[in-house]
């Protein structure tokens, strides 16, 4: 840290993204990316858009919002596009929380929420999960500020039902409720249909996971037109060109070929069920995940030990040192081949444990 940094950032603890290895990795299952590349039409659209990079992109993302609106069944004015859904969530912290209005979110959830609260100078309350790692929706009724819930939650993968989300919305008429649907397309019901009914709902989605575009940085929020106008005021006060020409072109092409994305999601869900079955046979305990990852522990081997031994064998999964998570690992669901490599190596490590 330099001597020039403002004292307000002195104690900032930045978010730590999952490792992006510099050397060739055999099996990367640590950051919930898709194992599949985007449709070839997405790649062609990016190449074509690259020919006009001398020009600024459309700051209103008009064509992209129209394409999202058509797929989501909402009005284009109910959509804001952002540089990854992280940016949408960041803007929601800026817009809907302040010193008098704290943020409220689960104690175990996406690790960026407390970081956004810190950098925006917002106090927050972390609500414990139930013993089985699920969220009790009633814990969020009549919250003292904006509510942030990942659905399904991370890193557990456990979803709330639409009725449970609606309960939270009904009991927070004066608070914005942000539902972060980064992983919704792998088997969770989306809250987008509730946008028409609740002016306090902001749904956040991304192209990073189910649309194979983590490398592009494209996310969006869907909410009542007034909420979107708030967020746009912040966007136009920071970086109106936050979505570049390549991302706009890729997003539109991806939605035009959304059947390819849905097929990829189906494959990931099948691979998830397969992996859950196989790990279950080996004695793993798992939360019931509807995401493209699973949250697992084994009674015979500590989470950090399994993480380390898999890494030595070229398989990277995600581990956190936090005491409440340390026994567990989060494993991204990849292709069938990747899952077979994981299962083979895990079996081998467990048999070494038994032989000790
Ligand atoms: N929400 C959750 C729960 C996530 O896990 C992630 C990915 N790390 C994001 C939002 C942000 O994704 P992106 O910025 O790539 O859209």
């Amino acid at each position: 840290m330099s001597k020039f940094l403002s004292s307000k950032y002195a104690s900032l603890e930045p978010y730590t993204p999952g490792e992006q290895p510099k050397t060739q990795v055999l099996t990367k299952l640590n950051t919930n990316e898709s194992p599949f590349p985007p449709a070839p039409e997405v790649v062609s659209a990016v190449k074509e858009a690259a020919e006009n990079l001398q020009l600024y992109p459309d700051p209103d993302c008009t064509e992209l919002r129209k394409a999202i609106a058509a797929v989501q069944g909402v009005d284009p004015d109910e959509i804001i596009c952002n540089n990854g859904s992280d940016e949408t969530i960041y803007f929601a912290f800026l817009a809907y929380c302040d010193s008098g209005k704290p943020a409220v979110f689960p104690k175990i959830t996406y690790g960026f929420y407390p970081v956004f609260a810190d950098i925006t100078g917002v106090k927050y309350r972390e609500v414990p999960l139930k013993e089985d790692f699920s969220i009790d929706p009633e814990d969020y009724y009549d919250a003292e500020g904006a509510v942030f819930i990942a659905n399904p939650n991370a890193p557990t993968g456990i979803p709330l039902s639409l009725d449970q989300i609606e309960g939270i919305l009904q009991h927070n008429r004066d608070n914005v409720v942000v539902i972060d649907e980064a992983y919704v397309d792998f088997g969770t019901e989306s809250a987008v249909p509730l946008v028409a009914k609740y002016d306090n709902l902001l749904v956040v989605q991304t192209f990073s996971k189910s649309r194979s575009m983590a490398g592009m940085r494209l996310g969006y929020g869907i909410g009542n037109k007034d909420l979107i106008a708030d967020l746009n005021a912040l966007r136009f006060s920071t970086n109106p060109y936050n979505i570049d020409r390549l991302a706009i072109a890729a997003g539109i092409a991806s939605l035009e070929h959304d059947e390819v994305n849905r097929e990829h999601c189906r494959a990931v869900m099948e691979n998830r069920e397969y992996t859950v079955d196989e790990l279950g046979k080996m004695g793993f305990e798992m939360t019931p995940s509807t995401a493209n990852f699973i949250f697992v522990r084994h009674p015979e081997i500590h989470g950090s030990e399994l993480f380390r031994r898999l890494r030595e064998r070229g398989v990277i999964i995600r581990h956190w040192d936090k005491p409440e998570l340390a026994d567990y690992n989060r494993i991204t669901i990849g292709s069938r081949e990747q899952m077979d490599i994981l299962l083979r190596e895990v079996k081998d490590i467990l048999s070494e444990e038994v032989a000790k």
Side-chain angles (χ1 to χ4, degrees):
M1 186 196 311
S2 83
K3 63 181 181 187
F4 306 107
L5 182 68
S6 163
S7 59
K8 65 180 185 236
Y9 299 127
S11 60
L12 197 64
E13 270 187 52
Y15 176 71
T16 314
E19 180 185 359
Q20 298 296 345
K22 309 288 181 290
T23 51
Q24 202 211 349
V25 174
L26 297 178
T27 311
K28 185 176 183 305
L29 303 174
N30 68 331
T31 47
N32 300 340
E33 290 138 328
S34 172
F36 306 109
E41 291 84 355
V42 174
V43 180
S44 315
V46 169
K47 283 187 183 150
E48 206 177 304
E51 286 170 19
N52 282 315
L53 284 183
Q54 73 279 20
L55 302 174
Y56 280 109
D58 170 17
D60 295 320
C61 299
T62 310
E63 294 307 315
L64 176 57
R65 285 189 299 113
K66 273 194 209 158
I68 298 171
V71 167
Q72 297 287 349
V74 298
D75 193 282
D77 289 345
E78 293 173 318
I79 299 170
I80 181 170
C81 295
N82 288 103
N83 193 279
S85 60
D86 277 339
E87 192 184 54
T88 322
I89 300 166
Y90 173 54
F91 281 1
F93 272 86
L94 280 174
Y96 302 117
C97 305
D98 56 39
S99 49
K101 273 212 158 198
V104 180
F105 45 79
K107 182 153 173 51
I108 295 176
T109 189
Y110 184 31
F112 227 139
Y113 300 161
V115 180
F116 285 139
D118 283 342
I119 197 163
T120 53
V122 162
K123 292 214 172 11
Y124 56 93
R125 181 165 64 88
E126 295 179 299
V127 182
L129 296 181
K130 293 202 283 192
E131 195 116 318
D132 63 358
F133 283 109
S134 66
I135 288 174
D136 184 345
E138 294 189 17
D139 287 344
Y140 300 83
Y141 285 9
D142 306 313
E144 62 276 36
V147 174
F148 292 81
I149 289 187
N151 196 40
N153 197 17
T156 63
I158 303 176
L160 286 176
S161 70
L162 211 51
D163 283 347
Q164 290 174 314
I165 301 271
E166 190 157 10
I168 297 173
L169 288 161
Q170 279 168 347
H171 289 87
N172 280 286
R173 293 288 189 175
D174 292 326
N175 295 315
V176 169
V177 176
V178 177
I179 302 296
D180 174 357
E181 295 191 345
Y183 302 103
V184 75
D185 295 325
F186 302 99
T188 305
E189 210 176 347
S190 171
V192 168
L194 298 179
V195 164
K197 234 168 128 184
Y198 294 94
D199 65 0
N200 56 336
L201 170 62
L202 180 71
V203 179
V204 179
Q205 294 196 358
T206 179
F207 281 74
S208 295
K209 317 291 179 181
S210 58
R211 297 198 164 91
S212 300
M213 278 173 45
M216 185 53 91
R217 313 309 302 130
L218 185 58
Y220 54 95
I222 301 183
N224 171 278
K225 289 187 176 66
D226 293 340
L227 291 186
I228 298 303
D230 300 338
L231 299 173
N232 266 321
L234 297 175
R235 191 167 77 86
F236 278 84
S237 306
T238 46
N239 182 6
Y241 300 121
N242 60 343
I243 312 292
D244 63 46
R245 280 183 171 269
L246 307 187
I248 290 175
I252 294 169
S254 171
L255 293 169
E256 279 169 359
H257 299 87
D258 216 24
E259 185 43 39
V260 176
N261 299 320
R262 284 200 293 272
E263 187 51 46
H264 288 163
C265 289
R266 278 194 286 274
V268 167
M269 288 189 277
E270 260 177 48
N271 294 343
R272 179 181 67 212
E273 299 326 311
Y274 166 70
T275 310
V276 164
D277 280 354
E278 294 300 315
L279 289 177
K281 287 181 207 159
M282 294 183 217
F284 276 88
E285 294 160 17
M286 285 159 275
T287 51
S289 170
T290 59
N292 67 340
F293 54 81
I294 50 176
F295 189 57
V296 310
R297 77 179 275 278
H298 195 283
E300 311 287 313
I301 183 164
H302 189 262
S304 59
E305 179 66 8
L306 181 63
F307 168 82
R308 191 184 61 76
R309 305 247 303 261
L310 277 173
R311 203 180 187 299
E312 282 169 3
R313 294 159 177 252
V315 179
I316 304 193
I317 59 176
R318 188 87 197 255
H319 181 261
W320 290 271
D321 285 329
K322 275 184 164 183
E324 63 273 28
L325 302 179
D327 221 12
Y328 284 79
N329 281 294
R330 188 194 69 191
I331 303 174
T332 301
I333 302 297
S335 64
R336 181 67 181 252
E337 295 70 34
Q338 288 176 310
M339 301 330 287
D340 279 333
I341 293 170
L342 168 92
L343 292 167
R344 187 190 67 212
E345 297 301 337
V346 168
K347 201 175 240 169
D348 215 39
I349 292 168
L350 289 178
S351 65
E352 283 176 10
E353 278 300 293
V354 173
K356 262 186 187 172

